[in-house]
């Protein structure tokens, strides 16, 4: 099950699946810039925009954001 919205925040490193990669399940790793899904959960994953500009649904959180 993909992570909940409460588990995702800007600065986290995550693996996402982009729209064009959904049939193959190919994952893209990046840093969350913005959360695009407003609901607390989504069956296919919370949609985010990465710092690279790529948009996709979070499948896994890789590492927490660095602390102060």
């Amino acid at each position: 099950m993909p992570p909940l919205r409460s588990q995702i925040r800007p600065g986290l490193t995550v693996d996402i699946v982009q729209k064009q990669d959904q049939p193959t399940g190919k994952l893209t790793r990046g840093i969350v810039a913005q959360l695009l899904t407003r609901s607390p959960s989504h069956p296919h994953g919370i949609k985010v925009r990465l710092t690279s500009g790529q948009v996709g649904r979070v499948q896994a959180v890789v590492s927490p954001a660095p602390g102060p």
Side-chain angles (χ1 to χ4, degrees):
M1 180 169 167
L4 300 174
R5 189 179 196 279
S6 61
Q7 298 171 298
I8 304 167
R9 60 190 182 282
L12 286 181
T13 300
V14 296
D15 284 336
I16 65 166
V17 62
Q18 295 181 76
K19 183 78 170 174
Q20 69 270 20
D21 295 330
Q22 283 176 348
T24 63
K26 176 179 172 272
L27 296 176
T28 304
R29 185 162 291 181
I31 298 169
V32 176
Q34 181 182 13
L35 280 75
L36 303 176
T37 300
R38 292 188 183 271
S39 65
S41 66
H42 189 282
H44 299 120
I46 300 298
K47 190 180 281 188
V48 298
R49 178 175 288 116
L50 302 180
T51 53
S52 62
Q54 296 165 306
V55 173
R57 295 195 180 272
V58 176
Q59 302 301 300
V61 174
V62 178
S63 67

